[in-house]
Amino acid sequence: MTHAVIVGAGPVGMVTAMLLAADGYRVSVLDRDPAESRDASASVRGHWRRPGVGQFGHTHVLLPAGLAHLKRELPNAVARLTELGGRRHNMISGAWNVGAVGDREPADDRFDTIAARRPVLEAALFAEVSRTPGVSVRCGIRVTGLLTDDGRTPGTPHVTGVLTDDGEQIEADLVIDASGRNSRLLALLHDVGATPIERRAQVGFRYYTRYFRSDVLPTLPTWPLTHHESVSVIALPGDNDTWSVTLVTSGRDQDLRLLSSPDAWHRAVALFPNVAHLAEGEPISGVNAMGGTESKFRRFVVDGKPIVTGLFAVGDAWATTNPQFGKGMTVGFAHAALLRDTLRVTGSDDPIDLALQFNAVSEASLTPVWEETALWDSHRFAEIDAEMRGEAYVTDDPAWHLDVAVNAIHLLDPEILRAHADVGCMLAGVDEAVLKTGLAERILSLATGAPRYAEPGPTRRELLAATTG
Ligand SMILES: Cc1cc2nc3c(=O)[nH]c(=O)nc-3n(C[C@H](O)[C@H](O)[C@H](O)COP(=O)(O)OP(=O)(O)OC[C@H]3O[C@@H](n4cnc5c(N)ncnc54)[C@H](O)[C@@H]3O)c2cc1C
């Protein structure tokens, strides 16, 4: 039986484990965080301790495409999430009957997801993976090195297992790195003579999240993410009568770092009419702040040749995108399925072929998502930089103008709203939803003269005044 070792029991590591076990693999999942951090009832009560994942206390949404994936592949995990209090939520429900959108349509079911805080989502996956035949999950174990066999693929290190912090050597036919955005993989590969390529953005966004609860869920905004002068705002429901509000700034914006103080955060949120009422519930967390979220992208095939075999990175260990779009888990689940599908076709007997095939399908399916998000990021950082200098941002990139336009006017036309939601929920790409349907011209024409931002909000000057009190 083929043995796969998965480094990391985050959402992507756990989904990868369950997919491979269903195909008959023996899977060992190793995670450095202790088992107590996965207790389901503690997660629901908000008692979270998960040092291995910096974003644990931040807003997470499983996009409808990610939920569809789980329903198809791992329906028991979805049932478990609902049992733990995950709440059915339609991503455009806040827009029904607003503006020119009209009533709910039957096909709007495709925008359904299950809202849950990240710890609760993880607890559901953990409960499922722990009872999956063929999978053993060991917590409190850190992978500190790679075992290699230099004879298997001459000239290219071939990974045959891992070394743990207590000195154990675990042999494997496949090693899968699912150890997240701060994976130590590059350093470990360096130690065995392999140098993957890493591209990383110079700056990332900074997140300030607070959770609330109330017996009645307040009205949600028409779309969870809205952009404003120098900040973006995310408001999302969670499980068990909870919700969160997050302010997103540029990592370069030192002045707005005051938002990590609850008083400053509340004064700031009060200036955004579409979410101000959401900060009036019972707070169930402090303001969780996180920076260091630069997008990263790692490649293990260089100039058409694998730099390592026997080892595959999935999820955030392979690439991270701007978290405000909530794509990370959905991309990671798709990546796990790509690995499983490649193994089905290629098998693991020819490690070079397997490395090349997995690289090829990852590049074809997922790299475009990364490129598109990275392009958006570079415009948004430039726009925020310009606002910080008191200037207007000017670019002639049509992709940015189309994105700004659709954000500004999506409530003016039901078809445009749904195309916008198809892209936002990862159910379709911009090409398919907007360009090929001929909607782009209508969007640009409706947006002529429309305000830059769809929702009212403070100017930067007003925001700075509020945060400093
Ligand atoms: C602020 C923020 C908000 C986000 N919001 C969303 C959202 O709304 N929707 C969404 O889909 N995504 C969101 N994301 C992205 C999402 O969190 C990631 O895509 C997701 O966590 C990736 O899962 P993963 O399993 O690849 O890695 P992780 O969740 O990072 O898990 C990695 C695991 O590896 C373990 N580990 C690390 N090193 C070792 C080692 N050496 N040995 C053993 N174990 C190790 C860690 O303990 C951890 O359990 C957000 C990210 C951020 C930063």
Side-chain angles (χ1 to χ4, degrees), residues 38-107:
R38 315 304 187 110
D39 181 75
S41 65
S43 293
V44 169
R45 283 182 278 115
H47 297 168
W48 311 331
R49 207 186 133 260
R50 189 86 159 77
V53 180
Q55 66 268 33
F56 211 57
H58 285 273
T59 303
H60 271 69
V61 60
L62 178 58
L63 293 179
L67 178 68
H69 177 90
L70 280 191
K71 278 185 172 164
R72 206 168 45 243
E73 302 273 4
L74 301 165
N76 290 342
V78 177
R80 186 75 74 150
L81 185 56
T82 307
E83 272 168 30
L84 288 180
R87 175 184 4 216
R88 187 173 170 198
H89 171 65
N90 190 288
M91 296 286 284
I92 64 166
S93 55
W96 288 325
N97 299 316
V98 173
V101 170
D103 209 348
R104 178 179 192 142
E105 294 176 3

Side-chain angles (χ1 to χ4, degrees), residues 7-13 30-33 38 50 52-53 55 58-61 118 122 141-143 178-181 207 290 293 314-316 323 326-330:
V7 186
V12 179
L30 311 174
D31 199 286
R32 66 184 176 186
D33 278 353
R38 315 304 187 110
R50 189 86 159 77
V53 180
Q55 66 268 33
H58 285 273
T59 303
H60 271 69
V61 60
R118 158 83 190 231
E122 265 207 14
I141 295 183
R142 182 187 294 265
V143 169
S179 66
R181 59 187 311 118
Y207 294 76
M290 178 176 180
T293 65
V314 290
D316 275 19
K327 294 178 179 177
M329 293 187 291
T330 298

